[in-house]
Amino acid sequence: PLISGYMAAAVTKGVQKHEGRYTTIKHFAANDQETNRMASNSCVSERALREIYLRGFEIAVRESQPGFVMNSYNLINGTHTSERRDLMTDILRAEFGFKGCVMTDWVVPGMTEKNSHWGYPDPVNVIAAGTSLYMPGSQGDYQAILSGIKNGRITREQAEINVSQLLKYCK
């Protein structure tokens, strides 16, 4: 984690010294296998999560403030990473000081379900967790998010925060 964190920070600083250029560091977090990576559940203790899986991201964020962080497909202890407010908002933003945009990896219905009983992340939970950009997004996802705002599963304030984080990078 130490080496990957400082290397990611150095690359990020090099890229982002050019105006309008940003990096995306990924896959946040506990993405430790390639086989079945879109449908796995990583069972990880709090200590291992912090010492092994989050430390490199912490270093990269604190040292270089990348423009984007992409969360991983996998679940951590039964919850999709993109749906975990504790990871996206409490740790990444509040604790590590990340000021950029959090995005999902491409979530396409059918892509994760064929190998998993977990299904794919609920866009309402993803937005409520503090993820700014749900990729690639569909009309159904859009409607679900609007319904989530109307029924109180997502606050308007959270949606505005997410959008404001994304708009920083639109010029």
Side-chain angles (χ1 to χ4, degrees):
L2 187 69
I3 293 170
S4 65
Y6 281 109
M7 287 183 68
V11 170
T12 296
K13 287 177 185 177
V15 169
Q16 292 185 173
K17 74 179 179 181
H18 303 284
E19 187 178 340
R21 304 296 188 267
Y22 306 99
T23 61
T24 303
I25 59 173
K26 58 183 191 174
H27 287 98
F28 188 75
N31 180 45
D32 62 357
Q33 66 182 48
E34 191 59 28
T35 302
N36 201 33
R37 73 185 174 106
M38 291 183 241
S40 66
N41 181 22
S42 302
C43 296
V44 183
S45 69
E46 179 74 17
R47 180 177 179 184
L49 187 64
R50 290 196 170 268
E51 291 180 4
I52 299 169
Y53 297 105
L54 298 179
R55 184 69 175 125
F57 286 98
E58 179 182 13
I59 292 166
V61 166
R62 289 184 191 273
E63 294 287 321
S64 66
Q65 276 301 322
F68 296 83
V69 169
M70 179 183 287
N71 45 45
S72 54
Y73 286 117
N74 58 290
L75 291 81
I76 298 177
N77 301 328
T79 304
H80 287 281
T81 58
S82 58
E83 295 180 328
R84 293 187 59 128
R85 187 167 184 83
D86 63 332
L87 286 176
M88 301 306 128
T89 299
D90 300 343
I91 293 173
L92 182 61
R93 292 199 183 281
E95 194 175 314
F96 296 174
F98 181 63
K99 294 174 180 31
C101 182
V102 179
M103 63 190 297
T104 66
D105 207 331
W106 279 62
V107 178
V108 179
M111 188 166 68
T112 57
E113 293 98 324
K114 69 180 181 182
N115 296 321
S116 171
H117 63 276
W118 308 110
Y120 76 112
D122 177 344
V124 175
N125 293 340
V126 170
I127 300 306
T131 298
S132 306
L133 182 59
Y134 189 83
M135 294 297 294
S138 68
Q139 188 63 32
D141 297 330
Y142 174 72
Q143 292 302 324
I145 292 166
L146 288 180
S147 293
I149 293 170
K150 286 178 186 171
N151 66 28
R153 287 183 59 206
I154 307 170
T155 65
R156 181 181 175 96
E157 178 186 26
Q158 183 63 62
E160 288 174 353
I161 289 168
N162 294 1
V163 169
S164 70
Q165 293 159 347
L166 181 59
L167 290 177
K168 292 189 286 192
Y169 299 96
C170 299
K171 292 184 183 183

